[in-house]
Amino acid sequence: MNPPKTDARRHHDPAVRGFASDNYAGAHPEVLAAVALANGGHQVAYGEDDYTANLQKIIRSHFGATAEAFPVFNGTGANVVALQAVTDRWGAVICAESAHINVDEGGAPERMGGLKLLTVPTPDGKLTPELIDRQAYGWDDEHRAMPQVVSITQSTELGTLYTPDEIRDICDHAHAHGMKVHLDGSRIANAAASLDVPMRTFTNAVGVDILSLGGTKNGALFGEAVVVLNQDAVRHMKHLRKLSMQLASKMRFVSVQLEALLAKDLWLRNARHSNGMAQRLAEGVRSVHGVEILHPVQANAVFARLPHDVSERLQKRYRFYFWDEAAGDVRWMCSFDTTEDDVDGFLAALKEEMAHH
């Protein structure tokens, strides 16, 4: 069958890739094929379709018999809906100062979710029971927002990983204080691939109550899901999703993407590849005099410090972002479609610019 005709035109060079974000990557061909497969005919709207029903079976195969998925449009929406579901109106969320919900969501948890974020500085993006205790107090103080949730990210915003035991310690500590635990898993696949364990090993198996499950950064066109792991901890998810403008009418096209990723091993293949490209990049960077890698490279991110003028010249050749421009810190992200040639070309450019410096 010939491909359908379209009046759309390509406006970019598909051979150009950079290291700015795994959100820059397109959709994996198997995901696009799944979207096309789900097209045609009529399916009941707002999640009552066959694809969303099948997604529940797949989610339970990963996270246990009581897990329930609520597909949403994006990661910020997943986080805001999830956190609302485990807090009262007077509730607060303890998180790392570097957490995405604090730094990169435009104040959405606070402005749209009505939540107070209680942040804690961390050297590596990871919380510990001791760090949590810096904000875990004042439950009976009406003058202070009540700490009700601990939110952690796996892998973290600094590309580091929690071990399953570290998450268990956090969950045990939070639950002992009557708090719930939310895990922002926008890059959960990268964490599972690096740890070489199933996703359940560091989520429901160790006490996480609710999860934001990422898809977009790992090959989806769009779409994430809130996964309720502890049904006793969560209230009114359906209503909160609608109220937060995260209920897709044609939800089959979100659900089928997550099915394509999770039904077999596409999610793991993609994550292993992007992690592997980050390791290749880090190994090459370590041989470049004058460039310092700042954090352990445990997922698909490399954080580095180098002269500011070198970064500015290099950015004209490859897209990437400053992380802390004053300090000269940058972030290089690898994606499911990053190639060895991409990495080697970038390393060659880095060496050239450092030599000029």
Side-chain angles (χ1 to χ4, degrees):
M1 181 182 295
N2 293 326
K5 293 182 179 180
T6 175
D7 291 328
R9 298 174 59 192
R10 175 170 279 162
H11 299 284
H12 77 292
D13 181 353
V16 173
R17 285 180 290 270
F19 296 86
S21 172
D22 35 12
N23 286 320
Y24 277 40
H28 192 281
E30 292 180 38
V31 172
L32 288 178
V35 172
L37 184 70
N39 197 28
H42 287 202
Q43 280 275 284
V44 182
Y46 301 109
E48 299 299 322
D49 59 274
D50 294 337
Y51 296 91
T52 303
N54 190 62
L55 177 63
Q56 301 302 334
K57 299 176 185 178
I58 296 169
I59 289 294
R60 288 193 289 271
S61 74
H62 285 283
F63 298 103
T66 61
E68 185 176 8
F70 294 83
V72 295
F73 290 111
N74 54 42
T76 297
N79 287 336
V80 171
V81 171
L83 292 172
Q84 284 181 291
V86 287
T87 52
D88 295 309
R89 284 286 294 147
W90 50 89
V93 177
I94 299 173
C95 63
E97 192 173 68
S98 58
H100 198 272
I101 57 174
N102 182 53
V103 176
D104 289 304
E105 295 189 349
E110 296 177 317
R111 294 178 63 87
M112 304 303 294
L115 301 162
K116 173 67 176 175
L117 300 182
L118 303 173
T119 64
V120 183
T122 68
D124 55 3
K126 294 164 60 175
L127 290 177
T128 64
E130 293 74 24
L131 289 173
I132 290 167
D133 281 344
R134 295 186 183 182
Q135 292 283 13
Y137 63 89
W139 287 277
D140 293 326
D141 183 356
E142 66 266 36
H143 302 290
R144 187 172 194 267
M146 182 187 293
Q148 292 187 320
V149 180
V150 174
S151 180
I152 61 176
T153 310
Q154 178 79 323
S155 60
T156 74
E157 287 75 15
L158 300 182
T160 54
L161 296 179
Y162 291 93
T163 66
D165 286 342
E166 287 173 331
I167 297 181
R168 184 190 300 276
D169 289 343
I170 287 171
C171 291
D172 289 347
H173 192 71
H175 293 157
H177 286 295
M179 297 187 292
K180 309 296 191 304
V181 177
H182 162 255
L183 190 145
D184 181 347
S186 64
R187 296 187 177 97
I188 190 173
N190 298 94
S194 184
L195 293 169
D196 196 24
V197 297
M199 291 183 285
R200 71 173 70 89
T201 304
F202 55 85
T203 54
N204 54 300
V206 292
V208 173
D209 297 293
I210 194 165
L211 163 70
S212 297
L213 177 68
T216 308
K217 290 177 170 64
N218 197 36
L221 182 65
F222 65 92
E224 325 279 303
V226 177
V227 181
V228 176
L229 301 173
N230 177 6
Q231 296 290 340
D232 294 332
V234 175
R235 294 170 295 172
H236 307 301
M237 268 296 308
K238 290 175 65 174
H239 299 281
L240 285 171
R241 180 174 57 177
K242 177 66 174 181
L243 181 67
S244 301
M245 297 169 285
Q246 287 292 319
L247 179 63
S249 57
K250 297 183 180 181
M251 196 181 295
R252 58 169 150 162
F253 296 112
V254 182
S255 298
V256 76
Q257 293 180 70
L258 297 174
E259 176 183 352
L261 287 171
L262 296 169
K264 293 185 178 178
D265 67 344
L266 180 58
W267 66 280
L268 196 55
R269 282 189 278 132
N270 286 351
R272 283 175 174 163
H273 178 81
S274 57
N275 288 357
M277 291 300 98
Q279 289 295 332
R280 185 183 184 92
L281 177 58
E283 289 170 9
V285 168
R286 290 188 183 100
S287 68
V288 182
H289 180 71
V291 181
E292 176 189 1
I293 292 180
L294 299 174
H295 304 292
V297 179
Q298 298 178 322
N300 63 324
V302 178
F303 289 81
R305 180 173 295 163
L306 61 158
H308 192 279
D309 62 304
V310 172
S311 291
E312 288 191 319
R313 291 197 305 272
L314 194 57
Q315 283 178 323
K316 295 177 181 178
R317 303 171 69 173
Y318 289 88
R319 289 292 298 266
F320 63 88
Y321 291 113
F322 280 101
W323 189 257
D324 182 343
E325 190 165 2
D329 299 351
V330 298
R331 185 190 74 168
W332 298 320
M333 296 296 305
C334 295
S335 306
F336 77 89
D337 63 348
T338 302
T339 68
E340 292 183 356
D341 287 344
D342 293 334
V343 173
D344 295 346
F346 180 78
L347 288 169
L350 172 63
K351 291 174 183 177
E352 288 175 10
E353 298 300 346
M354 286 297 294
H356 293 156
H357 176 76

